[in-house]
Amino acid sequence: MPDPISPPLQLDRISCRFGRHEVLKDISVEVPAGQITCLLGESGCGKSTLLRLISGVERPTSGAIFMAGRQITGEGVFVEPEQRRIGFMFQDYALFPHLSVADNLTFGLRDLPGDLRRARVTDIAERIGIAHLLDRFPYALSGGEQQRVALARALAPQPAILLMDEPFSNLDQGLRERVRRETVDTLRKLGTTAILVTHDPQEALAVGDQIVLMKQGRIEQIGSSFDIYDRPNSAYCAEFMGPCNRLTGIWAGGEIETPIGRFAGNLDLPDGALALACIRPQAITIGQNGEGIVARILGKTFLGESEQIDVSVHPLAEPLRMHSHERIPMKIGEQVHLQLNGAQVHVFAEPVSRN
């Protein structure tokens, strides 16, 4: 019997190796009930492999997986995929082209009596807003409609957990944002526990109640959107979640000393050690009345909601990049003064490579 106190899904030191290639290394995660957990990372970091292990399509080399306290994978234990009550929404939707929408929704309900099966299809179609599409075939649906049908089909069997592998990547930008918002609203209304794979940090920040940032088969950081963005635990995390200006400096007296100022950090470093400051572009603003660091504008790019400005600051070899939501009247080549918001400066123990 499921344990109501245990999390819906728990991964305990999961590792997976294909031949000599270790794809996942010591992954431990708890997935909260009724929330959306985003697996985030670059292509090849192991996100999709982790989904396949959870669904039962692949088996881990070591470690254990538990659903509501019941072990489903591990030493001498393996519950077949069809017995796990896990729904899967594929990147390409994988709708059956020769079946109507209604029949696509019915496909996973074949073990239910006819009346209950029809009632389940009607109910989920109304909840997802596709009741008017039940008689159509996939070829007659738009991309957004196909996505909603795929979501309804995955939810129709009432899975304990829904797995979603890059579910919005095939949609155009404007449609992607709208369908994503509708999908998230539906999952929250239904109280669905979901795991969503994405390589897009902005999507993870917008969708995830919990974000699991992965790097080369390992977990780099786990936390809420605000934790991951505002309190990154590594330079890799800070830069993955959004652009940063990187400045190497000397650690002294609880601060990193850089050519453009000193910034506090919570590091266990001896004075004189190298440290790294990652400065968000929005941390830099144009100072008024000649106050701040002397700089010169090198370039300006209008982005609609904001303006991206590159500035040179002596003695830095690389320009600094800033984002402003206000129009900056200064022209390229003009001298300006910069001020920094220290809250958007993240300090780490040592410089790391960009690779």
Side-chain angles (χ1 to χ4, degrees):
M1 291 291 292
D3 180 357
I5 300 178
S6 299
L9 183 73
Q10 182 178 8
L11 309 179
D12 183 24
R13 294 171 293 177
I14 289 292
S15 295
C16 183
R17 181 185 296 274
F18 297 126
R20 295 184 177 181
H21 180 48
E22 193 169 27
V23 181
L24 295 170
K25 308 167 188 176
D26 200 30
I27 301 291
S28 293
V29 177
E30 287 190 4
V31 174
Q35 297 187 15
I36 300 174
T37 294
C38 285
L39 300 182
L40 173 65
E42 298 172 337
S43 297
C45 73
K47 307 183 300 294
S48 295
T49 297
L50 195 55
L51 277 199
R52 292 196 293 272
L53 295 178
I54 294 169
S55 67
V57 176
E58 302 282 357
R59 300 193 187 202
T61 305
S62 62
I65 301 176
F66 300 85
M67 286 187 65
R70 175 197 177 200
Q71 186 172 353
I72 60 171
T73 296
E75 187 69 30
V77 177
F78 184 77
V79 175
E80 295 296 332
E82 60 272 17
Q83 297 175 355
R84 296 191 178 194
R85 288 195 61 217
I86 290 178
F88 207 116
M89 186 172 167
F90 298 92
Q91 183 177 6
D92 60 357
Y93 312 140
L95 299 177
F96 298 111
H98 62 290
L99 297 181
S100 68
V101 169
D103 289 337
N104 265 278
L105 299 188
T106 304
F107 187 82
L109 306 175
R110 289 169 296 179
D111 293 337
L112 294 180
D115 290 346
L116 184 57
R117 193 164 57 233
R118 287 187 290 272
R120 185 79 61 82
V121 167
T122 299
D123 177 67
I124 196 64
E126 290 176 350
R127 287 173 179 265
I128 305 296
I130 58 169
H132 62 294
L133 302 176
L134 289 176
D135 292 332
R136 297 190 190 178
F137 285 80
Y139 69 84
L141 304 177
S142 68
E145 289 170 339
Q146 290 184 33
Q147 198 274 347
R148 287 190 284 271
V149 172
L151 175 63
R153 187 179 64 179
L155 291 175
Q158 298 179 341
I161 298 172
L162 175 64
L163 307 181
M164 310 170 75
D165 192 0
E166 301 272 9
F168 313 113
S169 60
N170 289 335
L171 302 175
D172 294 334
Q173 179 65 27
L175 181 60
R176 177 163 66 246
E177 293 180 3
R178 178 170 63 83
V179 172
R180 183 177 68 200
R181 184 174 60 252
E182 293 172 351
T183 300
V184 170
D185 288 345
T186 298
L187 296 177
R188 299 205 191 287
K189 288 177 183 177
L190 296 176
T192 303
T193 301
I195 301 175
L196 184 146
V197 161
T198 181
H199 65 275
D200 182 352
Q202 297 305 311
E203 181 166 89
L205 290 172
V207 171
D209 299 296
Q210 174 176 259
I211 296 176
V212 180
L213 177 60
M214 299 178 64
K215 177 187 178 185
Q216 297 177 353
R218 295 184 182 273
I219 292 177
E220 187 75 10
Q221 185 171 350
I222 300 177
S224 69
S225 297
F226 294 105
D227 289 333
I228 296 285
Y229 189 84
D230 293 337
R231 293 174 288 278
N233 63 8
S234 68
Y236 177 84
C237 181
E239 293 187 294
F240 192 89
M241 300 311 297
C244 291
N245 298 288
R246 298 165 56 98
L247 292 183
T248 301
I250 303 299
W251 182 255
E255 295 179 319
I256 179 175
E257 184 174 350
T258 76
I260 64 170
R262 298 172 65 94
F263 306 102
N266 184 23
L267 304 180
D268 185 18
L269 286 178
D271 287 357
L274 285 178
L276 177 70
C278 290
I279 304 173
R280 298 282 185 202
Q282 60 269 32
I284 307 173
T285 58
I286 302 294
Q288 303 298 319
N289 303 319
E291 298 178 356
I293 303 162
V294 178
R296 192 170 301 278
I297 295 180
L298 296 180
K300 301 172 70 175
T301 305
F302 182 54
L303 303 175
E305 294 183 355
S306 65
E307 195 168 23
Q308 178 177 288
I309 304 168
D310 293 327
V311 297
S312 64
V313 178
H314 180 76
L316 299 180
E318 297 290 331
L320 295 179
R321 176 160 291 176
M322 61 174 287
H323 288 166
S324 175
H325 287 280
E326 298 179 357
R327 300 290 184 264
I328 303 299
M330 293 78 169
K331 298 179 180 179
I332 294 175
E334 284 194 44
Q335 180 177 293
V336 294
H337 291 78
L338 306 180
Q339 292 182 336
L340 281 84
N341 168 16
Q344 291 287 331
V345 178
H346 307 298
V347 180
F348 304 104
E350 60 183 10
V352 296
S353 68
R354 296 174 186 269
N355 295 328

